[in-house]
Amino acid sequence: AASDVYKRQPKTSPILTLRFDRDSMALVMKGEPGERYLIESTASLGAYQWESVAQVIAIKETTLWLDPNTSTAPFRFYRATRQ
C-alpha cells in the first residue's frame, strides 16, 4: 500500500562558515548528526587540487573543527563532503 512506503528526505551538503580568533581559525559545519564528513582544503581555487585534512563525525547539528595548519598558507579554502 502507498502508506507503507517510507520516503527519505534527500541528504543535503553541510553549510560551512569560518570563525576567526586572534591566532586561530575554526570551521563551523552545520550538518546532520551522526554523519561522517571529509573536510578538504586548497590554497587556490584555480588549482583544482584539494587536500584531505580531516574526517569529522557530526555529533550535533553544528560541529566545530579547528584547523591546526592555518598559518601554512596566506589563503585557504575549504569544502566538506558526506562520506
Side-chain angles (χ1 to χ4, degrees), residues 2-75:
S3 62
D4 296 333
V5 176
Y6 175 67
K7 294 182 180 180
R8 290 184 62 179
Q9 292 290 340
K11 295 184 178 181
T12 58
S13 297
I15 297 171
L16 305 177
T17 56
L18 297 176
R19 188 176 81 190
F20 296 95
D21 292 328
R22 283 181 59 174
D23 296 321
S24 66
M25 189 283 308
L27 185 70
V28 181
M29 181 176 66
K30 185 174 181 183
E32 293 185 38
E35 291 290 335
R36 180 184 306 264
Y37 296 95
L38 175 65
I39 298 176
E40 298 174 295
S41 72
T42 185
S44 172
L45 290 177
Y48 298 106
Q49 295 178 349
W50 291 85
E51 175 185 356
S52 297
V53 293
Q55 286 191 14
V56 175
I57 296 175
I59 304 300
K60 297 190 236 175
E61 185 178 300
T62 301
T63 303
L64 184 71
W65 176 74
L66 299 174
D67 186 350
N69 299 312
T70 55
S71 63
T72 61
F75 297 100

